[in-house]
Amino acid sequence: MKKIALSLIALLQCVVLLAQNSDPIVMTINGKAVSRSEFEYSYNKNNGADVIDKKTIDEYVDLFINYKLKVCAALDARLDTMKSFRDEYTMYRDQQIRPTMVTDADVLSEALNVYNRAKERIGSKGLILPAHILIRVPTQSTLVEQNSAKSRIDSVYRAIKGGADFAELAKTVSDDKGTGARGGVLPYWVGPGQTFKEFEDVAYSLQKGEMSQPFLSPVGWHVILMKDRKQLEPFDSLRSQIVKSLEQQGIRERIAQERVSQAVDRSAGTLTPQKVMDGRADSLAKASPEMKYLMQEYHDGLLLYEISKREVWDKAAKDDAGLDAYFKDHKNDYVWDGPRYKGVAYFVSDKKDIKAVKKCVKGLAFEQWTDALRHTFNQDSVKQVQAQVGIFKTGDNSLVDKQVFKVTGKTVETPEGYPYAAVYGKKLKRPQSYLDVRSDVLNDYQDMLEKAWVYDLRQRYKFSVNQDVLKTVNKHQ
């Protein structure tokens, strides 16, 4: 018995060792092991054929470590406990899980059900393709209107019997403009129960090529010309068409939702829809490394976005003092290749508004100009001023080119109704404030904060890379 126990222990050890050898640990980050397969998934996905800036494996290691360290920081900040995070992650995850609950065979079975219901409804009567001319009779019509409509349909009928072309008359006199444009032909084959009973009874009494006498339905007077008749085709000839229609109607989502509801019902109250999805996610993660890493990617990606937003993006965007200081320390990085015009180029309908525009913005911070002009001149439906506020270089605005930069031969297109043009502002040789180049300064300031943050993360958390395993990435069987 003791020998058997020892043999089992040895066998289990071999199984564990074999598993480790098949997917060894490539690195450890903050005490958490990263398998080679996880690293390969991330590397290969971010260095596919469509990626322009491909990284070598060694180059990617640092990016991957930084990514994982940021996720560690997000977990320490308990961002994964926020309801907004949980809801968004669950939504993304379930979008991937629900399709796995439905097979092509399920959709095909539903398509067959649709076909069989249609076949039963159509029966031996088959399908018809009628053309018709309608003379509409309003619901609350007077006797005079009713008699007039009857007279018109009788006239149409006599004309057709006398040799007039049905399709041409449908185009010119039918009150059903949709079918009228097609010569009266309905846009689809009609089966029993799809039209008014009065229309159906008359239509099905006609053979191909036959025309009805005028008859009344709830919408008015008709004359029908039967264009064609047929029996419903076999399922195999309609299968792809029905499946396509069901896919467009979201059949897979509906079936998946039914499966979840069925699982909840079978549990007799022990499961909720979310618990069903959680269980499905766990099963898929165990069965498919690809799905496991995809769900991990969603999870970590959302955490990365939120922590980066807090530590870098929002912090930089709100730090006016920091942006200003960074600009002053790096002024030489923001030298323009030519002069700029910081101001407004505008057109007005009344000449006196040229001075009014200048008076409106004078003394205001440049960032307030656009709102000030809109509230002063363009609150009503009639705009008094057409204006563009900005920092212009040559070629950005034809009016600025002509009046400020004195570009020869420049043509300015004056908007209709706004014959008077002017500019107001000042010409700059270089940026005077970080606000003049805010987007560039913001990007650079964010980069600085990012580097400082990553440096701090690398000091705070321990990590190590198994170089021997790293050398085998994408090079093993």
Side-chain angles (χ1 to χ4, degrees):
M1 193 71 182
K2 185 176 180 181
K3 289 182 178 180
I4 295 175
L6 290 173
S7 297
L8 287 173
I9 292 172
L11 181 61
L12 287 173
Q13 288 174 337
C14 288
V15 171
V16 171
L17 184 61
L18 186 62
Q20 290 175 341
N21 288 336
S22 65
D23 194 12
I25 304 305
V26 71
M27 64 182 70
T28 303
I29 300 174
N30 194 33
K32 185 175 181 180
V34 177
S35 65
R36 180 175 61 192
S37 62
E38 179 183 356
F39 180 79
E40 285 178 336
Y41 170 86
S42 181
Y43 174 77
N44 293 331
K45 185 167 185 177
N46 289 286
N47 288 274
D50 57 341
V51 176
I52 298 175
D53 184 21
K54 294 183 189 294
K55 304 294 183 184
T56 66
I57 290 174
D58 287 336
E59 290 171 334
Y60 191 72
V61 166
D62 277 343
L63 296 176
F64 185 82
I65 290 173
N66 292 345
Y67 163 63
K68 287 292 187 179
L69 292 177
K70 292 172 186 176
V71 174
C72 288
L75 291 172
D76 282 351
R78 297 179 58 79
L79 299 186
D80 59 324
T81 65
M82 297 189 309
K83 185 179 184 302
S84 58
F85 166 80
R86 294 198 306 270
D87 290 347
E88 190 169 7
Y89 168 65
T90 300
M91 179 189 71
Y92 280 124
R93 186 202 65 180
D94 291 356
Q95 283 176 353
Q96 300 301 316
I97 293 174
R98 277 193 291 270
T100 70
M101 304 173 77
V102 183
T103 66
D104 290 343
D106 294 327
V107 177
L108 189 60
S109 176
E110 185 62 28
L112 184 57
N113 290 337
V114 170
Y115 175 83
N116 287 335
R117 289 194 295 270
K119 185 177 181 181
E120 183 179 355
R121 176 174 55 80
I122 293 169
S124 60
K125 295 183 72 173
L127 298 169
I128 54 175
L129 185 63
H132 81 133
I133 294 173
L134 168 68
I135 301 300
R136 195 176 300 279
V137 179
T139 305
Q140 302 296 326
S141 60
T142 64
L143 183 60
V144 172
E145 290 172 326
Q146 294 173 21
N147 291 335
S148 174
K150 180 64 169 65
S151 176
R152 288 177 61 199
I153 199 68
D154 287 342
S155 176
V156 168
Y157 179 72
R158 286 194 298 271
I160 298 170
K161 295 292 282 186
D165 185 75
F166 187 98
E168 289 303 316
L169 275 175
K171 291 177 183 179
T172 56
V173 306
S174 180
D175 288 333
D176 183 350
K177 300 304 179 185
T179 61
R182 292 186 293 272
V185 182
L186 270 65
Y188 48 82
W189 288 86
V190 176
Q194 289 186 284
T195 65
F196 294 115
K197 184 179 185 304
E198 295 84 353
F199 190 99
E200 181 179 317
D201 289 346
V202 173
Y204 270 100
S205 71
L206 301 173
Q207 296 303 311
K208 182 178 178 179
E210 286 187 336
M211 185 177 71
S212 74
Q213 293 184 358
F215 67 93
L216 188 63
S217 83
V219 294
W221 287 95
H222 306 259
V223 171
I224 294 177
L225 174 63
M226 184 53 60
K227 303 296 291 184
D228 206 354
R229 300 187 64 140
K230 68 178 181 179
Q231 292 299 315
L232 184 65
E233 295 90 338
F235 174 68
D236 284 345
S237 64
L238 297 175
R239 176 171 51 190
S240 60
Q241 181 181 338
I242 298 173
V243 167
K244 181 180 179 181
S245 176
L246 288 173
E247 294 277 16
Q248 291 173 340
Q249 295 170 36
I251 184 62
R252 290 179 183 270
E253 180 67 22
R254 197 192 59 166
I255 294 175
Q257 194 59 48
E258 288 174 356
R259 296 271 161 85
V260 173
S261 298
Q262 290 165 3
V264 172
D265 292 342
R266 287 194 302 268
S267 74
T270 61
L271 289 177
T272 63
Q274 194 54 60
K275 286 183 178 180
V276 173
M277 297 303 289
D278 290 344
R280 180 70 179 176
D282 290 342
S283 298
L284 287 173
K286 291 175 182 177
S288 168
E290 189 81 9
M291 184 62 76
K292 173 185 175 182
Y293 297 142
L294 178 62
M295 288 190 284
Q296 184 69 40
E297 183 181 16
Y298 280 132
H299 180 276
D300 291 353
L302 291 172
L303 289 176
L304 175 66
Y305 174 83
E306 186 60 37
I307 194 71
S308 297
K309 188 168 175 286
R310 295 185 179 200
E311 295 294 332
V312 178
W313 306 330
D314 284 355
K315 183 180 288 188
K318 297 174 183 177
D319 187 5
D320 290 326
L323 290 168
D324 184 50
Y326 186 88
F327 169 75
K328 290 175 179 176
D329 290 340
H330 301 83
K331 277 188 175 181
N332 291 336
D333 293 338
Y334 304 104
V335 176
W336 288 325
D337 57 359
R340 300 289 192 269
Y341 186 72
K342 183 178 182 180
V344 57
Y346 59 103
F347 299 89
V348 295
S349 55
D350 191 329
K351 192 172 183 179
K352 65 179 178 58
D353 284 333
I354 291 178
K355 290 185 177 180
V357 167
K358 297 177 182 179
K359 183 178 179 181
C360 173
V361 298
K362 189 175 182 179
L364 294 178
F366 185 68
E367 293 70 36
Q368 298 175 319
W369 284 22
T370 299
D371 284 343
L373 290 172
R374 183 172 62 250
H375 289 131
T376 304
F377 298 100
N378 297 334
Q379 276 191 315
D380 299 329
S381 58
V382 179
K383 293 184 177 181
Q384 294 176 251
V385 174
Q386 287 197 19
Q388 183 181 1
V389 177
I391 299 178
F392 307 97
K393 64 179 182 297
T394 303
D396 285 347
N397 183 286
S398 59
L399 183 58
V400 172
D401 286 349
K402 184 174 183 179
Q403 294 199 12
V404 178
F405 296 126
K406 308 301 181 185
V407 178
T408 57
K410 197 69 176 182
T411 302
V412 178
E413 292 187 11
T414 303
E416 185 177 352
Y418 300 85
Y420 305 103
V423 296
Y424 179 70
K426 57 184 175 182
K427 197 173 181 181
L428 304 176
K429 291 184 178 180
R430 60 182 298 157
Q432 294 182 327
S433 153
Y434 82 91
L435 294 171
D436 296 340
V437 282
R438 191 179 191 280
S439 61
D440 293 334
V441 175
L442 179 60
N443 287 335
D444 293 341
Y445 190 52
Q446 286 177 343
D447 287 343
M448 185 191 75
L449 292 180
E450 167 90 11
K451 290 174 182 176
W453 182 38
V454 169
Y455 177 84
D456 177 66
L457 293 174
R458 284 176 168 256
Q459 304 308 306
R460 192 191 319 172
Y461 300 107
K462 292 182 179 180
F463 58 90
S464 61
V465 179
N466 188 328
Q467 295 294 334
D468 290 335
V469 175
L470 187 65
K471 292 175 183 176
T472 68
V473 169
N474 288 338
K475 295 178 182 177
H476 59 92
Q477 294 298 326

